Short mmCIF file of all heavy atoms in Angstrom, two decimals:
data_model
loop_
_atom_site.label_atom_id
_atom_site.label_comp_id
_atom_site.label_asym_id
_atom_site.label_seq_id
_atom_site.Cartn_x
_atom_site.Cartn_y
_atom_site.Cartn_z
N MET X 8 4.91 20.27 2.19
CA MET X 8 5.56 19.26 1.37
C MET X 8 4.46 18.36 0.77
O MET X 8 3.67 17.87 1.54
CB MET X 8 6.63 18.44 2.21
CG MET X 8 7.23 17.49 1.34
SD MET X 8 8.55 16.71 2.38
CE MET X 8 9.66 16.20 1.13
N THR X 9 4.52 18.21 -0.47
CA THR X 9 3.62 17.27 -1.10
C THR X 9 4.27 15.86 -1.34
O THR X 9 5.54 15.82 -1.56
CB THR X 9 3.13 17.77 -2.47
OG1 THR X 9 4.34 18.01 -3.28
CG2 THR X 9 2.30 19.12 -2.33
N TYR X 10 3.51 14.96 -1.32
CA TYR X 10 4.01 13.56 -1.51
C TYR X 10 4.14 13.24 -3.00
O TYR X 10 3.29 13.66 -3.78
CB TYR X 10 2.95 12.55 -0.87
CG TYR X 10 3.49 11.27 -0.71
CD1 TYR X 10 4.58 10.99 0.13
CD2 TYR X 10 2.86 10.07 -1.15
CE1 TYR X 10 5.14 9.80 0.35
CE2 TYR X 10 3.38 8.81 -0.84
CZ TYR X 10 4.49 8.72 -0.13
OH TYR X 10 4.92 7.40 0.06
N ALA X 11 5.25 12.74 -3.37
CA ALA X 11 5.56 12.48 -4.72
C ALA X 11 4.43 11.62 -5.42
O ALA X 11 4.02 10.56 -4.92
CB ALA X 11 6.88 11.75 -4.84
N THR X 12 4.09 12.15 -6.63
CA THR X 12 3.01 11.40 -7.26
C THR X 12 3.32 10.10 -7.74
O THR X 12 2.47 9.11 -7.60
CB THR X 12 2.55 12.28 -8.55
OG1 THR X 12 2.23 13.61 -8.11
CG2 THR X 12 1.37 11.71 -9.32
N ASP X 13 4.56 9.99 -8.07
CA ASP X 13 4.95 8.60 -8.52
C ASP X 13 4.91 7.48 -7.31
O ASP X 13 4.42 6.44 -7.51
CB ASP X 13 6.34 8.47 -9.13
CG ASP X 13 6.43 9.20 -10.51
OD1 ASP X 13 5.33 9.33 -11.09
OD2 ASP X 13 7.54 9.49 -10.88
N ARG X 14 5.36 8.06 -6.16
CA ARG X 14 5.34 7.14 -4.98
C ARG X 14 3.96 6.82 -4.53
O ARG X 14 3.63 5.66 -4.23
CB ARG X 14 6.05 7.82 -3.92
CG ARG X 14 6.17 7.11 -2.61
CD ARG X 14 7.01 5.82 -2.82
NE ARG X 14 7.02 5.01 -1.67
CZ ARG X 14 7.29 3.75 -1.60
NH1 ARG X 14 7.63 3.08 -2.66
NH2 ARG X 14 7.25 3.17 -0.35
N LEU X 15 3.06 7.74 -4.69
CA LEU X 15 1.70 7.57 -4.33
C LEU X 15 1.05 6.42 -5.28
O LEU X 15 0.39 5.61 -4.83
CB LEU X 15 0.86 8.84 -4.41
CG LEU X 15 -0.70 8.76 -4.25
CD1 LEU X 15 -0.92 8.18 -2.79
CD2 LEU X 15 -1.35 10.06 -4.39
N HIS X 16 1.32 6.65 -6.64
CA HIS X 16 0.80 5.57 -7.51
C HIS X 16 1.35 4.18 -7.28
O HIS X 16 0.72 3.22 -7.45
CB HIS X 16 1.10 5.99 -8.99
CG HIS X 16 0.20 7.08 -9.49
ND1 HIS X 16 0.73 8.37 -9.88
CD2 HIS X 16 -1.11 7.16 -9.55
CE1 HIS X 16 -0.37 9.10 -10.20
NE2 HIS X 16 -1.47 8.50 -10.05
N GLU X 17 2.56 4.14 -6.87
CA GLU X 17 3.18 2.90 -6.55
C GLU X 17 2.54 2.28 -5.27
O GLU X 17 2.17 1.04 -5.35
CB GLU X 17 4.68 3.03 -6.16
CG GLU X 17 5.60 3.33 -7.40
CD GLU X 17 6.95 3.65 -6.94
OE1 GLU X 17 7.34 3.55 -5.74
OE2 GLU X 17 7.77 3.95 -7.82
N GLU X 18 2.15 3.09 -4.35
CA GLU X 18 1.51 2.54 -3.16
C GLU X 18 0.08 2.12 -3.50
O GLU X 18 -0.27 1.01 -3.00
CB GLU X 18 1.52 3.57 -2.03
CG GLU X 18 2.74 3.90 -1.46
CD GLU X 18 2.67 5.05 -0.38
OE1 GLU X 18 1.56 5.51 -0.04
OE2 GLU X 18 3.64 5.36 0.01
N ILE X 19 -0.58 2.84 -4.30
CA ILE X 19 -1.95 2.51 -4.71
C ILE X 19 -1.90 1.12 -5.48
O ILE X 19 -2.70 0.17 -5.20
CB ILE X 19 -2.56 3.61 -5.50
CG1 ILE X 19 -2.86 4.78 -4.67
CG2 ILE X 19 -3.88 3.11 -6.14
CD1 ILE X 19 -3.27 6.00 -5.53
N ALA X 20 -1.09 1.06 -6.42
CA ALA X 20 -0.99 -0.17 -7.19
C ALA X 20 -0.64 -1.44 -6.34
O ALA X 20 -1.14 -2.51 -6.51
CB ALA X 20 0.14 -0.04 -8.29
N TYR X 21 0.43 -1.18 -5.40
CA TYR X 21 0.86 -2.23 -4.56
C TYR X 21 -0.36 -2.79 -3.68
O TYR X 21 -0.62 -4.03 -3.56
CB TYR X 21 2.07 -1.78 -3.63
CG TYR X 21 2.81 -2.81 -3.01
CD1 TYR X 21 3.58 -3.75 -3.83
CD2 TYR X 21 2.94 -2.86 -1.59
CE1 TYR X 21 4.31 -4.67 -3.11
CE2 TYR X 21 3.57 -3.79 -0.96
CZ TYR X 21 4.33 -4.64 -1.73
OH TYR X 21 5.18 -5.57 -1.01
N VAL X 22 -1.05 -1.91 -3.03
CA VAL X 22 -2.11 -2.29 -2.13
C VAL X 22 -3.28 -2.83 -2.92
O VAL X 22 -3.83 -3.91 -2.53
CB VAL X 22 -2.65 -1.19 -1.16
CG1 VAL X 22 -3.88 -1.41 -0.34
CG2 VAL X 22 -1.46 -0.63 -0.38
N ALA X 23 -3.62 -2.24 -3.96
CA ALA X 23 -4.78 -2.75 -4.92
C ALA X 23 -4.34 -4.18 -5.41
O ALA X 23 -5.32 -4.92 -5.35
CB ALA X 23 -4.94 -1.72 -6.06
N TYR X 24 -3.24 -4.40 -5.77
CA TYR X 24 -2.83 -5.68 -6.39
C TYR X 24 -2.94 -6.70 -5.28
O TYR X 24 -3.48 -7.86 -5.51
CB TYR X 24 -1.35 -5.54 -6.86
CG TYR X 24 -0.87 -6.97 -7.31
CD1 TYR X 24 -1.18 -7.37 -8.57
CD2 TYR X 24 -0.11 -7.79 -6.59
CE1 TYR X 24 -0.74 -8.59 -9.13
CE2 TYR X 24 0.40 -8.96 -7.01
CZ TYR X 24 0.13 -9.45 -8.34
OH TYR X 24 0.50 -10.61 -8.74
N HIS X 25 -2.48 -6.59 -4.13
CA HIS X 25 -2.42 -7.46 -3.03
C HIS X 25 -3.75 -7.65 -2.33
O HIS X 25 -4.10 -8.66 -1.82
CB HIS X 25 -1.23 -7.28 -2.10
CG HIS X 25 -0.02 -7.53 -2.67
ND1 HIS X 25 0.58 -8.88 -2.76
CD2 HIS X 25 0.94 -6.73 -3.18
CE1 HIS X 25 1.70 -8.75 -3.44
NE2 HIS X 25 1.96 -7.41 -3.72
N PHE X 26 -4.44 -6.57 -2.02
CA PHE X 26 -5.68 -6.65 -1.23
C PHE X 26 -7.02 -6.49 -2.08
O PHE X 26 -8.03 -6.61 -1.50
CB PHE X 26 -5.65 -5.47 -0.18
CG PHE X 26 -4.78 -5.74 1.02
CD1 PHE X 26 -4.67 -4.73 1.98
CD2 PHE X 26 -4.10 -6.92 1.18
CE1 PHE X 26 -3.86 -4.95 3.04
CE2 PHE X 26 -3.31 -7.12 2.29
CZ PHE X 26 -3.17 -6.15 3.24
N HIS X 27 -6.78 -6.22 -3.38
CA HIS X 27 -7.88 -5.92 -4.24
C HIS X 27 -8.95 -4.86 -3.87
O HIS X 27 -10.11 -5.03 -3.96
CB HIS X 27 -8.75 -7.26 -4.46
CG HIS X 27 -7.73 -8.43 -4.84
ND1 HIS X 27 -7.23 -8.52 -6.12
CD2 HIS X 27 -7.25 -9.41 -4.08
CE1 HIS X 27 -6.51 -9.60 -6.12
NE2 HIS X 27 -6.43 -10.20 -4.93
N TRP X 28 -8.33 -3.80 -3.20
CA TRP X 28 -9.13 -2.63 -2.81
C TRP X 28 -9.21 -1.64 -4.08
O TRP X 28 -8.28 -1.71 -4.85
CB TRP X 28 -8.47 -1.93 -1.58
CG TRP X 28 -8.54 -2.71 -0.37
CD1 TRP X 28 -9.17 -4.00 -0.08
CD2 TRP X 28 -7.90 -2.45 0.88
NE1 TRP X 28 -8.96 -4.33 1.22
CE2 TRP X 28 -8.12 -3.41 1.83
CE3 TRP X 28 -7.08 -1.24 1.24
CZ2 TRP X 28 -7.72 -3.30 2.98
CZ3 TRP X 28 -6.65 -1.21 2.57
CH2 TRP X 28 -6.88 -2.22 3.41
N SER X 29 -10.20 -0.97 -3.99
CA SER X 29 -10.36 0.12 -5.12
C SER X 29 -9.49 1.30 -4.87
O SER X 29 -9.04 1.48 -3.67
CB SER X 29 -11.89 0.64 -5.18
OG SER X 29 -12.14 1.43 -4.14
N MET X 30 -9.24 2.13 -5.86
CA MET X 30 -8.37 3.39 -5.63
C MET X 30 -9.02 4.19 -4.59
O MET X 30 -8.38 4.78 -3.85
CB MET X 30 -8.29 4.07 -6.97
CG MET X 30 -7.19 5.24 -6.85
SD MET X 30 -7.23 6.28 -8.33
CE MET X 30 -6.42 5.25 -9.46
N ASP X 31 -10.29 4.46 -4.68
CA ASP X 31 -11.03 5.24 -3.73
C ASP X 31 -10.77 4.77 -2.31
O ASP X 31 -10.52 5.56 -1.35
CB ASP X 31 -12.51 5.40 -3.98
CG ASP X 31 -12.76 6.18 -5.26
OD1 ASP X 31 -11.89 7.08 -5.64
OD2 ASP X 31 -13.89 6.05 -5.79
N GLU X 32 -10.96 3.42 -2.10
CA GLU X 32 -10.65 2.92 -0.76
C GLU X 32 -9.19 3.24 -0.20
O GLU X 32 -9.08 3.63 0.85
CB GLU X 32 -10.89 1.50 -0.75
CG GLU X 32 -12.43 0.96 -0.85
CD GLU X 32 -12.53 -0.50 -1.01
OE1 GLU X 32 -11.93 -1.03 -1.86
OE2 GLU X 32 -13.46 -0.92 -0.34
N ILE X 33 -8.26 3.14 -1.13
CA ILE X 33 -6.93 3.29 -0.78
C ILE X 33 -6.59 4.79 -0.52
O ILE X 33 -5.95 5.18 0.48
CB ILE X 33 -6.00 2.77 -1.91
CG1 ILE X 33 -6.22 1.16 -1.98
CG2 ILE X 33 -4.48 2.99 -1.58
CD1 ILE X 33 -5.64 0.57 -3.22
N LEU X 34 -7.12 5.69 -1.42
CA LEU X 34 -6.94 7.14 -1.26
C LEU X 34 -7.69 7.59 0.03
O LEU X 34 -7.22 8.66 0.52
CB LEU X 34 -7.40 7.89 -2.52
CG LEU X 34 -6.55 7.57 -3.74
CD1 LEU X 34 -7.17 8.31 -4.86
CD2 LEU X 34 -5.14 8.24 -3.45
N ASP X 35 -8.63 6.98 0.54
CA ASP X 35 -9.39 7.35 1.76
C ASP X 35 -8.52 7.15 3.04
O ASP X 35 -8.78 7.76 4.04
CB ASP X 35 -10.74 6.68 1.82
CG ASP X 35 -11.80 7.37 1.09
OD1 ASP X 35 -11.59 8.39 0.48
OD2 ASP X 35 -12.83 6.59 0.86
N LEU X 36 -7.52 6.32 2.83
CA LEU X 36 -6.67 6.00 3.91
C LEU X 36 -5.73 7.23 4.26
O LEU X 36 -5.26 8.02 3.30
CB LEU X 36 -5.71 4.87 3.68
CG LEU X 36 -6.24 3.51 3.47
CD1 LEU X 36 -5.25 2.47 2.90
CD2 LEU X 36 -6.93 2.91 4.76
N GLU X 37 -5.41 7.51 5.53
CA GLU X 37 -4.34 8.50 5.98
C GLU X 37 -3.05 8.01 5.40
O GLU X 37 -2.83 6.81 5.24
CB GLU X 37 -4.40 8.59 7.32
CG GLU X 37 -5.62 9.13 7.97
CD GLU X 37 -5.79 10.68 7.71
OE1 GLU X 37 -4.80 11.42 7.47
OE2 GLU X 37 -7.00 11.08 7.61
N HIS X 38 -2.25 8.95 5.08
CA HIS X 38 -0.92 8.64 4.49
C HIS X 38 -0.13 7.48 5.32
O HIS X 38 0.32 6.58 4.77
CB HIS X 38 -0.12 9.87 4.36
CG HIS X 38 1.37 9.69 4.05
ND1 HIS X 38 1.74 9.32 2.83
CD2 HIS X 38 2.51 9.69 4.76
CE1 HIS X 38 3.14 9.15 2.72
NE2 HIS X 38 3.51 9.34 3.93
N HIS X 39 -0.05 7.85 6.64
CA HIS X 39 0.66 6.80 7.47
C HIS X 39 0.05 5.44 7.52
O HIS X 39 0.73 4.54 7.53
CB HIS X 39 0.86 7.34 8.93
CG HIS X 39 -0.48 7.56 9.69
ND1 HIS X 39 -1.27 8.60 9.62
CD2 HIS X 39 -1.08 6.71 10.58
CE1 HIS X 39 -2.19 8.46 10.35
NE2 HIS X 39 -2.26 7.31 11.03
N ASP X 40 -1.34 5.40 7.39
CA ASP X 40 -2.09 4.09 7.31
C ASP X 40 -1.69 3.33 6.07
O ASP X 40 -1.35 2.11 6.03
CB ASP X 40 -3.49 4.22 7.45
CG ASP X 40 -3.90 4.72 8.87
OD1 ASP X 40 -3.17 4.47 9.84
OD2 ASP X 40 -5.05 5.33 8.97
N ARG X 41 -1.69 4.19 4.93
CA ARG X 41 -1.35 3.52 3.65
C ARG X 41 0.14 3.07 3.67
O ARG X 41 0.40 1.91 3.15
CB ARG X 41 -1.52 4.52 2.46
CG ARG X 41 -1.61 4.05 1.08
CD ARG X 41 -1.90 5.03 0.08
NE ARG X 41 -1.18 6.14 0.15
CZ ARG X 41 -1.65 7.44 0.57
NH1 ARG X 41 -2.79 7.59 0.87
NH2 ARG X 41 -0.90 8.41 0.62
N ARG X 42 1.07 3.73 4.12
CA ARG X 42 2.43 3.30 4.25
C ARG X 42 2.59 2.14 5.16
O ARG X 42 3.34 1.19 4.85
CB ARG X 42 3.30 4.53 4.90
CG ARG X 42 3.47 5.69 3.84
CD ARG X 42 4.29 5.41 2.71
NE ARG X 42 5.63 5.15 3.13
CZ ARG X 42 6.40 4.25 2.51
NH1 ARG X 42 6.02 3.60 1.51
NH2 ARG X 42 7.60 4.00 3.04
N ARG X 43 1.77 2.05 6.17
CA ARG X 43 1.83 0.92 7.03
C ARG X 43 1.30 -0.31 6.28
O ARG X 43 1.91 -1.46 6.55
CB ARG X 43 1.03 1.05 8.37
CG ARG X 43 1.08 -0.07 9.16
CD ARG X 43 0.91 0.21 10.61
NE ARG X 43 1.27 -0.92 11.42
CZ ARG X 43 0.83 -1.06 12.60
NH1 ARG X 43 0.24 -0.13 13.32
NH2 ARG X 43 1.00 -2.26 13.36
N TYR X 44 0.25 -0.22 5.61
CA TYR X 44 -0.21 -1.37 4.78
C TYR X 44 0.84 -1.85 3.80
O TYR X 44 1.04 -3.05 3.63
CB TYR X 44 -1.54 -1.06 4.12
CG TYR X 44 -2.77 -1.21 4.96
CD1 TYR X 44 -3.55 -0.08 5.34
CD2 TYR X 44 -3.11 -2.39 5.45
CE1 TYR X 44 -4.57 -0.32 6.08
CE2 TYR X 44 -4.26 -2.63 6.23
CZ TYR X 44 -4.98 -1.47 6.49
OH TYR X 44 -6.16 -1.76 7.34
N THR X 45 1.45 -0.93 3.04
CA THR X 45 2.54 -1.35 2.18
C THR X 45 3.67 -2.11 2.88
O THR X 45 4.14 -3.03 2.29
CB THR X 45 3.12 -0.03 1.32
OG1 THR X 45 3.68 0.86 2.26
CG2 THR X 45 2.07 0.46 0.56
N GLY X 46 3.98 -1.59 4.04
CA GLY X 46 5.01 -2.35 4.78
C GLY X 46 4.63 -3.70 5.22
O GLY X 46 5.29 -4.65 5.15
N GLU X 47 3.41 -3.84 5.74
CA GLU X 47 2.90 -5.19 6.11
C GLU X 47 2.72 -6.13 4.98
O GLU X 47 3.11 -7.28 5.07
CB GLU X 47 1.47 -5.04 6.81
CG GLU X 47 1.47 -4.20 8.09
CD GLU X 47 2.30 -4.99 9.08
OE1 GLU X 47 2.38 -6.16 9.22
OE2 GLU X 47 2.89 -4.26 10.02
N ILE X 48 2.31 -5.66 3.77
CA ILE X 48 2.26 -6.45 2.56
C ILE X 48 3.55 -6.87 2.26
O ILE X 48 3.81 -8.06 2.04
CB ILE X 48 1.57 -5.70 1.34
CG1 ILE X 48 0.15 -5.45 1.63
CG2 ILE X 48 1.81 -6.49 0.07
CD1 ILE X 48 -0.47 -4.40 0.72
N ALA X 49 4.60 -6.00 2.21
CA ALA X 49 5.92 -6.34 1.96
C ALA X 49 6.40 -7.53 2.81
O ALA X 49 7.15 -8.45 2.43
CB ALA X 49 6.89 -5.16 2.01
N SER X 50 6.17 -7.38 4.10
CA SER X 50 6.54 -8.40 5.06
C SER X 50 5.82 -9.82 4.74
O SER X 50 6.55 -10.91 4.75
CB SER X 50 6.11 -8.01 6.54
OG SER X 50 6.82 -6.95 6.89
N LEU X 51 4.57 -9.75 4.42
CA LEU X 51 3.91 -10.99 4.09
C LEU X 51 4.45 -11.67 2.70
O LEU X 51 4.79 -12.82 2.67
CB LEU X 51 2.42 -10.70 3.80
CG LEU X 51 1.61 -10.30 5.04
CD1 LEU X 51 0.19 -9.81 4.64
CD2 LEU X 51 1.49 -11.43 6.00
N VAL X 52 4.77 -10.82 1.80
CA VAL X 52 5.31 -11.28 0.60
C VAL X 52 6.74 -11.88 0.69
O VAL X 52 7.07 -12.99 0.20
CB VAL X 52 5.48 -10.23 -0.55
CG1 VAL X 52 6.21 -10.51 -1.72
CG2 VAL X 52 4.00 -9.71 -0.93
N THR X 53 7.59 -11.19 1.64
CA THR X 53 8.94 -11.63 1.91
C THR X 53 8.79 -13.03 2.67
O THR X 53 9.58 -13.95 2.29
CB THR X 53 9.67 -10.65 2.75
OG1 THR X 53 9.80 -9.47 1.96
CG2 THR X 53 11.01 -11.11 3.12
N ARG X 54 7.93 -13.10 3.59
CA ARG X 54 7.81 -14.33 4.26
C ARG X 54 7.29 -15.42 3.44
O ARG X 54 7.73 -16.60 3.59
CB ARG X 54 6.73 -14.08 5.55
CG ARG X 54 6.78 -15.14 6.57
CD ARG X 54 5.89 -14.88 7.81
NE ARG X 54 5.84 -13.38 8.07
CZ ARG X 54 4.66 -12.87 8.43
NH1 ARG X 54 3.64 -13.50 8.69
NH2 ARG X 54 4.69 -11.59 8.69
N ALA X 55 6.27 -15.21 2.59
CA ALA X 55 5.78 -16.18 1.80
C ALA X 55 6.90 -16.67 0.78
O ALA X 55 6.96 -17.93 0.49
CB ALA X 55 4.59 -15.74 1.00
N GLY X 56 7.71 -15.85 0.31
CA GLY X 56 8.75 -16.17 -0.58
C GLY X 56 9.83 -17.05 0.07
O GLY X 56 10.33 -17.96 -0.42
N ALA X 57 10.03 -16.80 1.43
CA ALA X 57 11.07 -17.49 2.13
C ALA X 57 10.45 -19.04 2.46
O ALA X 57 11.31 -19.89 2.69
CB ALA X 57 11.37 -16.81 3.48
N GLU X 58 9.24 -19.00 2.68
CA GLU X 58 8.61 -20.31 3.05
C GLU X 58 8.36 -21.24 1.72
O GLU X 58 8.13 -22.38 1.96
CB GLU X 58 7.24 -20.03 3.68
CG GLU X 58 7.48 -19.40 5.09
CD GLU X 58 6.13 -19.11 5.77
OE1 GLU X 58 5.10 -19.23 5.01
OE2 GLU X 58 6.23 -18.56 6.78
N GLY X 59 8.28 -20.64 0.69
CA GLY X 59 7.67 -21.46 -0.44
C GLY X 59 8.58 -21.61 -1.52
O GLY X 59 8.72 -22.25 -2.42
#
């Protein structure tokens, strides 16, 4: 099964926007690691929105 291209681009954009990592750095991550980073970023963003 291949990972949806649109979803991959969303993950790349999300991590790049928040962590300022390059596309190559993000693509070098294993799929589960990249998904974990997107989840952690979402938690940080949600927490920051609730606090501020």
Side-chain angles (χ1 to χ4, degrees):
M8 178 180 208
T9 59
Y10 197 57
T12 303
D13 289 343
R14 182 66 183 157
L15 178 59
H16 284 121
E17 289 173 4
E18 289 178 4
I19 292 168
Y21 196 65
V22 175
Y24 178 81
H25 289 282
F26 284 175
H27 308 284
W28 292 354
S29 71
M30 183 185 296
D31 288 338
E32 290 172 310
I33 298 165
L34 287 173
D35 282 345
L36 296 170
E37 294 291 328
H38 171 76
H39 65 275
D40 291 332
R41 193 174 52 251
R42 292 288 297 144
R43 180 148 187 200
Y44 277 113
T45 60
E47 294 297 327
I48 293 167
S50 294
L51 292 169
V52 169
T53 300
R54 193 174 330 140
E58 293 173 357

